Amino acid sequence: MSDGNKKVVLAYSGGLDTSVMIRWLKEEYGLETVAVLVDVGRATGLEELRQKALDIGAVEARVIDAREEFADDFLAPALAANALYEGKYPLVSALSRPLISRILVEAARETGAVAVAHGCTAKGNDQVRFDLGIRALDPSLEILAPAREWGLTRQQAMEYAAEHGIPVPLKKESPYSIDENLWGRAIECGPLEDPWREPPEDVFEVTTAPEKAPDEPAYIEVEFAAGVPVALDGRTLLLHELAAAVDDLAGAHGFGRLDMVENRLVGIKSREVYEAPGALALIMAHRDLEDLVLPRELTHFKAGLEQKFADMAYNGGWYDPLMDAIRAFMDSTQQRVSGTVRLKLFKGGCSVAGRKSPMALYEHGLATYGSDDDFSHEAAKGFCELWGLPLEVWAKKNE
Ligand code: ARG
């Protein structure tokens, strides 16, 4: 392990592939590995994994607790944009990749590394997000993605590990490929590759099966300040704590499972299963509060940009100047998004049961059908006359 050797910063997860990579990068590329394990939530056994990287031969191994940064810099903007790819998927993995890219690039600068490596395969979206993220932040760094090139099957990777004294997971390998963080869990592969087959119960970890969820509903209250959730049931929390708490509560009631066929950027349709109770509940609450406080035209226009935001994030464009511009728009809409939303959780469902805000544009006097009505009924006749005028002219010409 000579200090004079060139270094590579590896996005290390502790799993089989990135463990093998520490040795592979040395043997095939002559590079010493600085292993960087980023905690974006839901991670366990980090110190053991750090030690494992050193045992395998990394010259340095770092664990970075990035949960707060992840929540503040990525989840808050995603929530402001009610971001759901294809109207469903809350971008769990897509949001963590630009943050991990940023942390890798910082580590490369600090350690003088010439390259950055990640463990993504050629068929997924994550390689795109890492590659674009790293290139946007430091175009001088070389990007290595050994799993995109080595063509090792699971079995061959295990054999390589055994030959090189790399510890392999002892318990039977799960058939699933899982990526998880504060915003949810993504589960792929194995029996899920048959889109007709219902996901086996063992893919789920944070959601109770709806049929086994409690028979009594639960209510939670989420308070927002300028678009960001700041308190849960009256308790002030940091965003990453609040997201985790809502995740637990909503998941316990069986809410938050998604089963979808998704269009990947690389052209493949893939069957994806997610559990994201916290993300989906918070997006539902946030969107509902916006309906209460934002004017009609703004809400309608924003919906189009929300979709663009989700596509940009999904497709690896977090650091694209268009994304900066969209985020500036989103920010400008959030100043008035303050108030409280009450959610009802029951048997796999989550629904909004109430909302209130000092910024509400809802006016009882305008909305009511009761005696205290102060809407101008006289004006309505003329309004309809003029609003329908072009249609009437058209209809007469086409009689
Ligand atoms: N299909 C999702 C996405 O592209 C989930 C990816 C999960 N990643 C993984 N390495 N298992 O965002």
Side-chain angles (χ1 to χ4, degrees):
M1 243 183 273
S2 76
D3 254 22
N5 274 355
K6 287 186 171 169
K7 289 183 198 158
V8 54
V9 171
L10 169 68
Y12 170 73
S13 72
L16 178 65
D17 282 352
T18 55
S19 296
V20 163
M21 254 164 235
I22 294 173
R23 292 298 287 274
W24 186 275
L25 288 163
K26 175 82 181 158
E27 293 198 352
E28 304 290 320
Y29 299 90
L31 294 170
E32 299 290 357
T33 296
V34 175
V36 175
L37 213 171
V38 182
D39 178 5
V40 277
R42 253 190 257 283
T44 51
L46 294 172
E47 186 42 42
E48 286 89 326
L49 295 175
R50 198 185 78 82
Q51 190 54 50
K52 179 176 159 187
L54 293 173
D55 294 345
I56 297 169
V59 282
E60 196 187 322
R62 304 178 172 190
V63 171
I64 313 279
D65 178 355
R67 285 172 298 174
E68 203 170 332
E69 214 179 332
F70 184 44
D72 294 346
D73 296 355
F74 295 85
L75 304 186
L79 191 56
N82 298 313
L84 295 173
Y85 179 65
E86 300 190 328
K88 297 181 215 165
Y89 163 49
L91 297 167
V92 177
S93 306
L95 294 171
S96 73
R97 298 324 186 209
L99 171 59
I100 298 171
S101 300
R102 187 163 93 189
I103 290 168
L104 295 174
V105 168
E106 281 161 10
R109 294 215 172 116
E110 282 165 25
T111 58
V114 295
V116 169
H118 60 71
C120 302
T121 64
K123 292 179 82 166
N125 297 311
D126 288 325
Q127 57 170 341
V128 181
R129 299 163 185 155
F130 276 128
D131 281 23
L132 269 64
I134 294 159
R135 280 162 68 195
L137 296 171
D138 190 344
S140 74
L141 286 168
E142 193 182 344
I143 300 169
L144 301 172
R148 205 153 51 184
E149 292 141 29
W150 66 18
L152 293 185
T153 62
R154 198 86 193 149
Q155 192 52 41
Q156 288 166 329
M158 301 273 271
E159 280 158 20
Y160 183 96
E163 280 162 27
H164 292 79
I166 298 167
V168 293
L170 286 178
K171 55 176 190 183
K172 198 172 165 298
E173 265 305 291
S174 144
Y176 307 112
S177 160
I178 295 167
D179 184 50
E180 53 192 328
N181 60 49
L182 273 176
W183 215 224
R185 297 177 76 235
I187 311 115
E188 301 168 326
C189 301
L192 301 177
E193 287 179 357
D194 175 0
W196 176 248
R197 179 163 171 192
E198 187 176 7
E201 202 45 41
D202 70 352
V203 307
F204 299 109
E205 252 174 35
V206 294
T207 53
T208 305
E211 52 271 31
K212 294 202 178 126
D215 292 321
E216 288 300 315
Y219 290 85
I220 59 172
E221 288 186 9
V222 183
E223 186 190 334
F224 291 83
V228 180
V230 290
L232 175 63
D233 293 327
R235 205 156 53 99
T236 302
L237 293 171
L238 295 174
L239 179 55
H240 74 281
E241 300 165 336
L242 189 144
V246 175
D247 213 55
D248 288 345
L249 291 165
H253 284 270
F255 175 70
R257 295 183 175 187
L258 280 179
D259 174 358
M260 65 187 280
V261 174
E262 174 178 304
N263 288 294
R264 286 193 189 167
L265 180 60
V266 291
I268 301 168
K269 279 193 190 290
S270 86
R271 198 282 185 88
E272 303 279 333
V273 173
Y274 300 104
E275 37 182 4
L280 294 171
L282 288 174
I283 292 171
M284 182 186 292
H286 177 264
R287 177 176 275 162
D288 190 271
L289 182 59
E290 286 191 331
D291 287 340
L292 185 67
V293 301
L294 294 184
R296 177 183 63 192
E297 292 311 310
L298 179 55
T299 307
H300 292 181
F301 185 80
K302 182 173 182 282
L305 275 191
E306 289 174 351
Q307 203 176 5
K308 189 66 189 171
F309 177 104
D311 287 349
M312 294 289 294
Y314 188 86
N315 293 337
W318 189 268
Y319 296 112
D320 191 294
L322 174 55
M323 191 61 151
D324 292 340
I326 295 173
R327 286 186 51 191
F329 170 85
M330 295 297 170
D331 280 349
S332 79
T333 64
Q334 295 302 296
Q335 302 320 310
R336 295 178 56 86
V337 185
S338 300
T340 302
V341 178
R342 189 163 74 241
L343 295 174
K344 178 179 183 173
L345 304 165
F346 185 53
K347 289 271 179 206
C350 175
S351 51
V352 175
R355 71 289 280 161
K356 63 179 179 184
S357 165
M359 309 291 189
L361 299 177
Y362 177 91
E363 287 212 21
H364 184 264
L366 290 176
T368 184
Y369 284 87
S371 57
D372 44 353
D373 178 6
D374 48 34
F375 180 79
S376 167
H377 290 245
E378 317 78 69
K381 184 168 182 286
F383 170 75
C384 292
E385 236 168 73
L386 295 188
W387 181 248
L389 185 58
L391 188 56
E392 186 182 318
V393 172
W394 170 263
K396 281 184 180 151
K397 294 278 177 204
N398 288 284
E399 246 164 14

